[in-house]
């Protein structure tokens, strides 16, 4: 079989965007690390929270808190270690405290034959100095997964937690919603039926209606059978009703505040095409009472799976919305799939019209977990990357795009690909696949040899099209 190596050259027109700082860095270590969430400090630095372990499957896990400067350079880290496992999932700025942050997680331990899991609340400053650490709910023979939380004020928060009995097989994960008075006083809680699967996704406080909206996966409280749900609770955590999410959303659900009465719900939904049902990224505006307003769905091609980014996949940046996705994902192989993925960054206006798409990756399996607005109009993204080539590595990446979603200062020796279009496989055999941004329905494909001669030119009439290169001599193009 003939082999072709394709070099892709990208040219972007960027005026004032060139002045914006951008980067793409991978923090390589010999350990296994995961980034779940991040937040930006007042000085422009980034604090990332996640986990670190040394073995697959995980044996002993410690919580990981890392700081990167505004250029994506590693500054320092601290770890939270317990007897068995320490998990940390979510970080938020404390209201009215510029440089203090709350981190939620869980601390697991074993006493004799019994397994204990406690919710852990850690307060740090922007230099990663620990101000306080407290735990509560030490539940015997249960695991707790405190996934997300939202502040009511600077001393009260509502915490969304998954709870699972320690037993053989895969017992159901149920919901626990808790009002917490800082530093760690549990005021009241809402519990779902522990025998029915209800997995936490996100939580939002709605000031206008004084409600808490809990997004989760599983059956409604009334036991009907669709997937992503919105549970409405009043301020005292009484159940008001459970609503089906717009367009029957399936997974990677995330809520992002728009104002005091609306928020954006992003997730994976299904779209019916001539080739059957296709996974699509969906974004819907939700009002104070859980009703879906306007929305959008988009996908690249029925043959390749597009997922939304994990954990925090949307950011409101000035008058735009940035959404992250994972293109070419294998849902059953995450995070150790053996094929490359691309981070897909989509910019929309506030009416949810698509402005542009960009793809980053292609040399490894990338999974974005968090996107944050940057003060200069760009966005910061962090997540994990799995190098499926030897040596196998699961590491944290940090990247910053400008207000157009572009990285403008790509190092010459970088291995990832950045483009509004994807061309694969690379190296290629007899055929290439070209994927265009959804903004373009037609384009011209040119294959140019290293002397600058065009050896193949063809028109692309679809967003996803194959190009026959069997008549082209083997070489580098």
């Amino acid at each position: 079989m003939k082999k072709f190596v394709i070099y892709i050259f990208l040219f972007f027109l960027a005026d004032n965007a060139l002045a914006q700082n951008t980067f793409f860095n991978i923090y390589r270590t010999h350990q296994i690390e995961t980034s779940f969430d991040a937040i930006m400090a007042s000085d422009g630095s980034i604090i990332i929270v996640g986990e670190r372990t040394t073995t697959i499957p995980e044996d002993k896990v410690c919580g990981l808190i890392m700081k990167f400067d505004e250029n994506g350079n590693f500054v320092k880290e601290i770890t939270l270690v317990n007897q068995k496992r320490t998990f940390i999932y979510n970080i938020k700025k404390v209201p009215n405290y510029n440089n203090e942050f709350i981190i939620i997680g869980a601390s697991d331990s074993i006493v004799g034959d019994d397994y204990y899991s406690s919710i852990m609340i850690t307060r740090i400053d922007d230099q990663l100095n620990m101000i306080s650490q407290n735990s509560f709910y030490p539940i015997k023979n249960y695991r707790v997964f405190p996934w997300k939380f939202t502040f009511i004020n600077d001393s009260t928060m509502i915490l969304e937690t998954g709870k699972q009995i320690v037993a053989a097989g895969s017992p159901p994960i149920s919901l626990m919603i808790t009002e917490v008075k800082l530093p760690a006083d549990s005021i009241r809680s809402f519990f779902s039926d522990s025998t029915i699967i209800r997995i936490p996704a996100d939580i939002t406080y709605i000031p206008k209606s004084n409600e808490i909206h809990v997004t989760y996966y599983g059956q409604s409280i009334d036991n009907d059978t669709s997937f992503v749900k919105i549970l409405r609770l009043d301020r005292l955590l009484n159940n008001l009703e459970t609503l089906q999410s717009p367009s029957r959303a399936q997974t990677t659900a995330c809520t992002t505040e728009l104002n005091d009465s609306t928020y954006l719900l992003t997730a994976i939904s299904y779209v019916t095409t001539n080739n059957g049902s296709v996974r699509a990224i969906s974004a819907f505006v939700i009002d104070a009472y859980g009703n879906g307003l306007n929305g959008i769905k988009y996908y690249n091609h029925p043959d390749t799976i597009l997922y939304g980014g994990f954990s925090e996949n949307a950011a409101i940046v000035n008058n735009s919305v940035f959404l992250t996705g994972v293109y070419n994902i294998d849902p059953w192989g995450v995070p150790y799939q053996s094929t490359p993925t691309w981070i897909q960054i989509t910019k929309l206006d506030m009416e949810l019209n698509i402005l542009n798409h960009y793809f980053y990756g292609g040399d490894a399996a990338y999974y974005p977990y968090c996107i944050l607005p940057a003060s200069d109009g760009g966005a910061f993204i962090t997540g994990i990357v799995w190098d499926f080539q030897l040596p196998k590595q699961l590491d944290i990446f940090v990247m910053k795009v400008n207000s157009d979603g572009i990285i403008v200062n790509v190092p010459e020796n970088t291995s990832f690909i950045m483009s509004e279009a994807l061309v694969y496989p690379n190296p290629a055999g007899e055929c290439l696949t070209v994927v265009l941004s959804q903004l373009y329905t037609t384009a011209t494909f040119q294959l140019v040899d290293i002397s600058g001669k065009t050896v193949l030119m063809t028109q692309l009439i679809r967003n996803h099209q194959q190009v026959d290169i069997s008549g082209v001599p083997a070489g580098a193009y």
Side-chain angles (χ1 to χ4, degrees):
M1 178 183 293
K2 294 183 290 186
K3 293 290 184 181
F4 303 83
V5 177
I6 311 298
Y7 296 92
I8 302 172
F9 295 90
L10 306 172
F11 301 93
F12 297 105
L13 294 177
D15 301 323
N16 60 342
L18 284 171
Q20 293 176 299
N21 182 39
T22 63
F23 53 80
F24 195 128
N25 296 334
I26 298 176
Y27 181 63
R28 299 282 189 192
T29 74
H30 295 293
Q31 297 170 299
I32 300 161
E33 284 129 353
T34 303
S35 165
F36 286 132
D37 200 13
I39 199 161
M40 185 171 290
S42 58
D43 62 358
S45 61
I46 305 296
I47 300 174
I48 295 174
V49 298
E51 299 171 357
R52 171 178 288 160
T53 186
T54 57
T55 60
I56 301 175
E58 299 170 346
D59 180 26
K60 186 174 178 62
V61 180
C62 66
L64 178 63
I65 306 171
M66 307 173 71
K67 181 176 180 178
F68 293 83
D69 67 18
E70 66 275 11
N71 298 311
N73 300 309
F74 172 76
V75 176
K76 66 181 295 189
E77 67 175 46
I78 61 173
T79 55
L80 306 180
V81 182
N82 191 37
Q83 175 192 346
K84 181 66 175 173
R85 295 177 178 176
T86 300
F87 306 92
I88 49 180
Y89 298 111
N90 200 205
I91 181 171
K92 292 188 185 299
K93 176 183 171 293
V94 182
N96 302 320
Y97 290 81
N98 282 335
N99 294 308
E100 293 189 13
F101 309 92
I102 291 291
I103 300 169
I104 62 165
S107 179
D108 295 355
S109 60
I110 297 175
V111 180
D113 294 329
D114 295 322
Y115 196 105
Y116 288 87
S117 187
S118 301
I119 295 172
M120 183 175 64
I121 300 176
T122 304
R123 188 166 182 155
I124 63 168
D125 64 18
D126 60 350
Q127 301 303 311
L128 307 194
N129 298 308
M130 189 178 298
I131 298 171
S132 64
Q133 186 176 76
N134 298 275
S135 61
F136 64 101
Y137 272 151
I139 305 176
K140 181 179 176 180
N141 293 328
Y142 272 87
R143 293 188 183 96
V144 292
F145 310 94
W147 182 238
K148 295 288 182 71
F149 69 101
T150 184
F151 278 107
I152 303 297
N153 52 51
D154 60 7
S155 62
T156 306
M157 64 186 196
I158 308 294
L159 177 62
E160 181 187 30
T161 302
K163 184 164 69 79
Q164 181 184 43
I165 191 170
V166 177
S170 299
I173 297 174
S174 60
L175 276 178
M176 179 171 68
I177 311 300
T178 308
E179 180 179 344
V180 179
K181 184 82 169 177
L182 295 177
D185 295 327
S186 172
I187 305 301
R188 56 180 62 90
S189 292
F190 168 90
F191 296 91
S192 70
D193 185 340
S194 62
T195 65
I196 298 174
I197 296 175
R198 296 186 178 100
I199 303 172
D202 214 334
I203 188 166
T204 303
Y205 173 60
I206 314 296
K208 181 176 181 179
S209 58
N210 201 26
E211 292 181 6
I212 293 95
H213 288 195
V214 178
T215 310
Y216 69 92
Y217 309 111
Q219 293 184 0
S220 73
I221 300 304
D222 298 324
N223 295 333
D224 74 79
T225 56
S226 50
F227 213 30
V228 174
K229 298 292 192 306
I230 301 171
L231 168 64
R232 292 177 57 209
L233 302 176
D234 67 16
R235 180 60 186 81
L236 298 179
L237 304 188
N238 296 306
N239 177 19
L240 299 176
E241 65 174 333
T242 310
L243 301 173
Q244 169 63 36
S245 60
S247 192
R248 299 183 67 84
Q250 297 294 306
T251 189
T252 65
C254 167
T255 57
T256 306
E257 179 183 330
L258 295 173
N259 50 49
D260 67 353
S261 61
T262 63
Y263 59 93
L264 189 68
L265 172 62
T266 48
I268 293 299
S269 299
Y270 278 90
V271 174
T272 301
T273 71
N274 293 333
N275 297 316
S277 295
V278 177
R279 293 178 179 89
I281 293 179
S282 62
F284 285 86
V285 177
I286 309 295
D287 70 13
Y289 304 99
N291 303 304
L293 304 178
N294 59 307
I296 186 175
K297 298 180 187 179
Y298 59 91
Y299 65 96
N300 295 327
H301 190 266
D303 291 341
T304 309
I305 298 177
L306 172 66
Y307 256 44
F310 303 104
S311 190
E312 304 284 349
N313 55 34
I316 311 302
V317 185
N318 296 333
N319 291 315
S320 301
V321 180
F322 280 78
L323 300 182
T324 60
V326 189
Y327 183 63
N328 197 43
I329 191 173
D330 173 6
W332 298 272
V334 174
Y336 307 118
Q337 73 179 70
S338 57
T339 53
T341 69
W342 285 262
I343 303 163
Q344 181 168 326
I345 299 176
T346 303
K347 182 180 179 181
L348 306 92
D349 62 23
M350 296 306 292
E351 300 301 316
L352 302 184
N353 300 302
I354 294 175
L355 302 177
N356 59 48
H357 291 291
Y358 287 100
F359 302 92
Y360 299 88
D363 60 319
Y366 292 89
Y367 307 100
Y369 267 79
C370 181
I371 180 168
L372 300 170
S375 58
D376 62 2
F380 171 87
I381 301 102
T382 183
I384 57 175
V385 53
W386 171 248
D387 187 351
F388 47 81
Q389 305 174 25
L390 293 177
K392 292 180 186 277
Q393 287 282 140
L394 188 62
D395 294 309
I396 292 172
F397 73 82
V398 291
M399 63 183 291
K400 164 76 167 42
V401 297
N402 67 16
S403 54
D404 293 317
I406 300 171
I407 296 176
V408 295
N409 48 348
V410 180
E412 291 184 2
N413 62 347
T414 188
S415 60
F416 73 87
I417 299 168
M418 175 182 69
S419 183
E420 283 189 285
L422 302 180
V423 180
Y424 64 89
N426 189 11
E430 304 292 316
C431 188
L432 284 171
T433 298
V434 182
V435 180
L436 298 176
S437 165
Q438 198 179 55
L439 295 177
Y440 307 109
T441 55
T442 62
T444 300
F445 175 85
Q446 288 181 276
L447 195 62
V448 180
D449 66 19
I450 57 175
S451 70
K453 178 183 177 181
T454 298
V455 297
L456 177 67
M457 179 184 296
T458 187
Q459 289 299 118
L460 304 176
I461 58 174
R462 295 181 297 274
N463 294 101
H464 188 284
Q465 185 169 327
Q466 290 190 327
V467 177
D468 182 3
I469 56 173
S470 59
V472 177
Y477 295 90

